[in-house]
Amino acid sequence: MAIAKQISGLVVNRSKQITPKDYKSLKKGMTQEEVEAIVGKPNGYSESDYSNSEVVLWLYTSGLKSDDQANFYVTFQKNKLVAKKAQNFN
């Protein structure tokens, strides 16, 4: 059985802008709590569960110290960071 949900466009009030240095400090194996402590809450997320393999993706689109089109996402499996990808944010 497959289950998926997605929420986007969340307004997040950040106490400071997220810098490329913050993004680069995110390392594989970090927990969701550790990532949130560095870059805050995401502007959107999706969760999917296929064959008991839950995948969570967090999307960051605002409060970035870069171009207006900058964004990045981080992917978690079993509450561990497994991948990250940035666009126009370096």
Side-chain angles (χ1 to χ4, degrees):
M1 182 158 131
I3 300 171
K5 68 179 178 178
Q6 178 175 341
I7 296 177
S8 61
L10 298 173
V11 176
V12 178
N13 292 321
R14 303 192 195 289
S15 58
K16 66 178 184 73
Q17 286 188 317
I18 301 169
T19 66
K21 183 179 176 182
D22 294 329
Y23 170 79
K24 289 175 184 161
S25 73
L26 303 177
K27 303 295 181 202
K28 287 184 179 181
M30 287 181 146
T31 66
Q32 289 173 285
E33 293 78 16
E34 290 170 325
V35 170
E36 187 174 323
I38 295 170
V39 293
K41 295 191 179 294
N43 298 102
Y45 69 91
S46 67
E47 296 179 12
S48 57
D49 191 347
Y50 299 102
S51 302
N52 292 327
S53 178
E54 183 182 33
V55 175
V56 176
L57 184 138
W58 287 358
L59 176 64
Y60 291 82
T61 57
S62 71
L64 306 181
K65 192 171 187 170
S66 191
D67 297 336
D68 289 338
Q69 300 299 314
N71 65 70
F72 70 88
Y73 67 83
V74 291
T75 306
F76 301 93
Q77 282 184 310
K78 297 181 181 175
N79 193 34
K80 299 290 184 189
L81 180 64
V82 294
K84 64 180 186 175
K85 175 84 172 154
Q87 180 176 353
N88 300 325
F89 188 60
N90 45 9

